[in-house]
Amino acid sequence: MIFLQVSFHYGKPQLNIITIILFLITTAQSGNPKFEACTPQTCGKGPSIKYPFWIPYQQDSFCGYPQFEITCKNNNPILKTSNYDLIVKTISYSNSSFIASNLAVYEDKCPAPIYNYSLALDQTPFTYSSENSNLSFFYNCTTEPIHYLTYEVECAENATHYSFAVFNTEALEHNNYSLNECQFMVNAPLVMNTSVNFTSLLRMNYIDVLKMGSVLNWTAPDCQHCEKSGGRCGFDNYKFICFCKDKSYLKVCGDDGNITLLLEIF
Ligand SMILES: *[C@@H]1O[C@H](CO)[C@@H](O)[C@H](O)[C@H]1NC(C)=O
Ligand SMILES: *[C@@H]1O[C@H](CO)[C@@H](O)[C@H](O)[C@H]1NC(C)=O
Ligand SMILES: *[C@@H]1O[C@H](CO)[C@@H](O)[C@H](O)[C@H]1NC(C)=O
Ligand SMILES: *[C@@H]1O[C@H](CO)[C@@H](O)[C@H](O)[C@H]1NC(C)=O
Ligand SMILES: *[C@@H]1O[C@H](CO)[C@@H](O)[C@H](O)[C@H]1NC(C)=O
Ligand SMILES: *[C@@H]1O[C@H](CO)[C@@H](O)[C@H](O)[C@H]1NC(C)=O
Ligand SMILES: *[C@@H]1O[C@H](CO)[C@@H](O)[C@H](O)[C@H]1NC(C)=O
Ligand SMILES: *[C@@H]1O[C@H](CO)[C@@H](O)[C@H](O)[C@H]1NC(C)=O
Ligand SMILES: *[C@@H]1O[C@H](CO)[C@@H](O)[C@H](O)[C@H]1NC(C)=O
Ligand SMILES: *[C@@H]1O[C@H](CO)[C@@H](O)[C@H](O)[C@H]1NC(C)=O
C-alpha cells in the first residue's frame, strides 16, 4: 500500500493505474496465508480449536495467545497450567467459557487434589466461573466422616486418619462434625452436568464427580466482529489482528482507512 501511495506522487498516472490493477490481481490470487493458517482444527476428539486457542504444528502461533496454547494428547485437547493439565471438553466461544477437567483425574492412581484448583489459575487469563459448586476435600481427619454426606477418598487414608470430599460443608457442621480435626483442605469448583441429578450424584464416587469438570471463563479481545465479517482473529506482533481472505485488518474485514484514501486520489 505504501508503494502505491509513493508511486502516485512520483510516477505517471497511467502507469500507476496499471500497477494498482496488477496489485489487486496478485493479492486476490495469493489470498492471505495467515487466514488459511488459522483454519479451526481439532485434536481428533474434543471441540474445534480456534482463536484465542491454538494448536502448535496444526496452526501458527499468531492464531491465538501464548497462554491459550493447546497440546494434543491421545487426541484430547490439553491446556497446561502451572499445577494441573486440563482436558478441554467443550468450548463456548460466544460466552468466552469452556468446560475442563483435570487430566490427573483420568491418569493418576490417587487423583484427589492437593492444591486448590484456583491456585493453578494464578497469572493466567482464566477464572473459575461462579456457576461451579465447590467440592471440598478434607485430609487426615481424626474423626470418621458422616458417610451419607461425603465421598470417601480411600487412597489418602490409613487406619486412624480419614479423608473425604463434600459439597455441603454446612451440612457436616450441622451434624456436629468438626472440620478442625482435619489437617488440610482444598476446593475443586465443579459444574453440575445437567444429565446428573441429586440421586445419581450421591451414588457416584469422587473420581466420577471430578470428571464432570469445571466451567472456566477467559479474558481476551473479542473476536465476534472480525468473525462476523468473515475473518479469523489472531495475535500478531503483540497485537490483536483480524485475518481476512484478502489481507489482514486491524479489527474487521474490509474496514481499512486506506481504501478511502485511495478512492479520494481517483
Ligand atoms: C454459554 O454458552 C453455552 C452454549 O452456547 C450455553 O449453553 C450456556 O448456557 C452459556 N452460559 C452462560 C453463563 O451464558
Ligand atoms: C463467567 O461468564 C459467565 C457468562 O458470561 C458469567 O455469567 C459469569 O459471571 C462469569 N464468571 C466469572 C467468575 O467471571
Ligand atoms: C470455592 O472456594 C474458593 C476458595 O477456595 C472460593 O474463592 C470460591 O468463591 C468458592 N466458590 C463457590 C462457587 O463457592
Ligand atoms: C497426611 O499426613 C501425612 C503425614 O503427616 C502426610 O504425609 C500426608 O501427605 C497427608 N495426607 C494428605 C492426603 O495430605
Ligand atoms: C496415619 O496418618 C497419620 C497422618 O498422616 C499419621 O500421623 C499416622 O501415624 C498414620 N497411622 C498409621 C497407622 O499409619
Ligand atoms: C449438635 O450439638 C448440639 C449441641 O451439643 C446438639 O444440641 C445437637 O442436637 C447436635 N446435633 C446433632 C445432629 O447431633
Ligand atoms: C484452599 O483454599 C481454602 C479456602 O480459601 C483454604 O482455607 C485452604 O487452606 C487452601 N488449601 C491449600 C492447600 O492451600
Ligand atoms: C436420576 O438419574 C438416574 C440415572 O441418570 C435415573 O435412573 C433416575 O431416574 C433419575 N432420578 C430422578 C429423580 O430424576
Ligand atoms: C454429561 O454426562 C453425560 C452422561 O454421563 C456425558 O455423556 C456428557 O459428556 C457429560 N457432559 C459433560 C460436559 O461432561
Ligand atoms: C494505512 O496506511 C498507513 C500509511 O499511509 C499505514 O501506516 C497503515 O498501517 C495503513 N493501515 C492499514 C490498516 O493497512
Side-chain angles (χ1 to χ4, degrees):
M1 290 310 245
I2 288 165
F3 166 70
L4 284 179
Q5 284 158 8
V6 170
S7 65
F8 259 110
H9 286 289
Y10 301 105
K12 289 179 177 154
Q14 311 95 287
L15 245 173
N16 288 317
I17 288 159
I18 292 164
T19 320
I20 288 168
I21 289 165
L22 276 176
F23 175 81
L24 288 176
I25 288 168
T26 34
T27 45
Q29 279 176 344
S30 62
N32 183 0
K34 292 188 172 177
F35 177 83
E36 297 305 328
C38 296
T39 305
Q41 302 287 346
T42 72
C43 283
K45 290 185 235 161
S48 171
I49 303 296
K50 59 181 184 178
Y51 173 93
F53 298 95
W54 62 285
I55 311 176
Y57 308 112
Q58 293 192 48
Q59 291 160 329
D60 278 284
S61 59
F62 52 70
C63 301
Y65 287 93
Q67 286 180 299
F68 289 77
E69 181 181 321
I70 295 285
T71 42
C72 296
K73 189 174 181 189
N74 302 327
N75 293 333
N76 287 308
I78 307 294
L79 180 72
K80 290 184 186 296
T81 67
S82 52
N83 293 319
Y84 296 120
D85 288 352
L86 301 174
I87 179 164
V88 179
K89 296 169 140 192
T90 61
I91 302 179
S92 168
Y93 289 98
S94 58
N95 49 29
S96 300
S97 70
F98 61 103
I99 294 179
S101 47
N102 215 321
L103 184 61
V105 173
Y106 294 86
E107 296 187 337
D108 288 6
K109 274 195 188 134
C110 187
I114 54 165
Y115 303 111
N116 276 309
Y117 268 29
S118 53
L119 181 70
L121 302 186
D122 273 358
Q123 311 194 337
T124 72
F126 311 111
T127 53
Y128 284 101
S129 161
S130 47
E131 289 166 65
N132 298 302
S133 312
N134 273 329
L135 181 65
S136 303
F137 285 82
F138 292 91
Y139 295 102
N140 285 349
C141 309
T142 47
T143 314
E144 194 170 354
I146 302 159
H147 289 290
Y148 71 92
L149 288 172
T150 57
Y151 299 98
E152 199 177 350
V153 182
E154 294 103 332
C155 59
E157 294 184 322
N158 66 21
T160 54
H161 287 69
Y162 304 91
S163 296
F164 60 89
V166 62
F167 276 111
N168 193 342
T169 50
E170 286 85 11
L172 274 183
E173 282 164 335
H174 278 141
N175 285 276
N176 294 342
Y177 187 85
S178 171
L179 294 167
N180 296 333
E181 285 170 40
C182 304
Q183 278 178 8
F184 77 103
M185 68 90 69
V186 304
N187 284 321
L190 298 172
V191 64
M192 293 302 127
N193 185 329
T194 45
S195 67
V196 171
N197 60 39
F198 189 67
T199 320
S200 57
L201 188 64
L202 287 179
R203 282 209 200 98
M204 292 159 82
N205 60 40
Y206 82 95
I207 296 175
D208 290 332
V209 175
L210 286 174
K211 283 180 181 170
M212 293 194 301
S214 323
V215 182
L216 293 100
N217 289 5
W218 73 72
T219 338
D222 190 24
C223 183
Q224 274 185 54
H225 297 294
C226 168
E227 220 166 46
K228 274 185 190 142
S229 68
R232 290 172 184 155
C233 302
F235 178 67
D236 207 6
N237 284 321
Y238 301 101
K239 59 176 192 278
F240 175 85
I241 195 101
C242 183
F243 303 126
C244 303
K245 282 185 181 135
D246 58 341
K247 64 189 197 94
S248 302
Y249 296 84
L250 291 179
K251 287 192 177 81
V252 189
C253 295
D255 183 8
D256 185 346
N258 292 349
I259 280 176
T260 336
L261 184 68
L262 233 121
L263 289 175
E264 273 170 17
I265 295 166
F266 273 110

